[in-house]
Amino acid sequence: MPIRLTTPTRTVLLTLLEDPSRAHYGLEICEKTGLFSGTVYPVLARLEKYGWLESAWETIQEPDDGGAGLARPRRHYYRFTATGAAEARAELARRAQRGCGPWYVPEGGT
């Protein structure tokens, strides 16, 4: 299946590649990229479909004191699969060599 690397997709990938071993949540990615959630979440879903990302919902422990619990919705975290960061980095580099940008590919760990 051909990989669709739009400008927003490249922006999201470059943001995730800044710290490829860490899980990132959706709103955090929106804030870092300056992209709206209606752009970021379809990109994340597409990258997960390619097998570059995996996702999981945050687990929230109920408070022992019977309190109200967490005052925000659970976060959906995204992280690179075992090979995802290397594949993303290689595809970004291939596109850069062909003049398709981006011009900077992070060299961070996998």
Side-chain angles (χ1 to χ4, degrees), residues 4-109:
R4 184 173 169 217
L5 283 186
T6 61
T7 299
T9 302
R10 290 189 298 250
T11 302
V12 168
L13 282 173
L14 290 171
T15 299
L16 295 173
L17 285 168
E18 289 174 2
D19 192 354
S21 61
R22 188 171 76 77
H24 306 263
Y25 60 95
L27 183 58
E28 170 192 20
I29 297 166
C30 292
E31 290 170 353
K32 284 185 171 185
T33 61
L35 298 170
F36 294 109
S37 61
T39 300
V40 169
Y41 286 103
V43 165
L44 293 169
R46 190 166 53 249
L47 294 172
E48 192 169 11
K49 188 171 101 175
Y50 294 153
W52 291 3
L53 297 180
E54 58 192 7
S55 67
W57 284 99
E58 173 180 43
T59 54
I60 299 175
Q61 296 190 8
E62 296 296 322
D64 293 335
D65 61 2
L70 195 61
R72 61 167 172 77
R74 289 187 317 155
R75 292 177 174 162
H76 200 170
Y77 282 92
Y78 300 86
R79 74 175 331 127
F80 280 109
T81 60
T83 60
E87 290 176 25
R89 199 175 283 113
E91 185 63 28
L92 288 169
R94 253 191 309 280
R95 303 284 174 112
Q97 285 177 343
R98 290 191 341 225
C100 300
W103 311 117
Y104 165 70
V105 179
E107 293 294 329

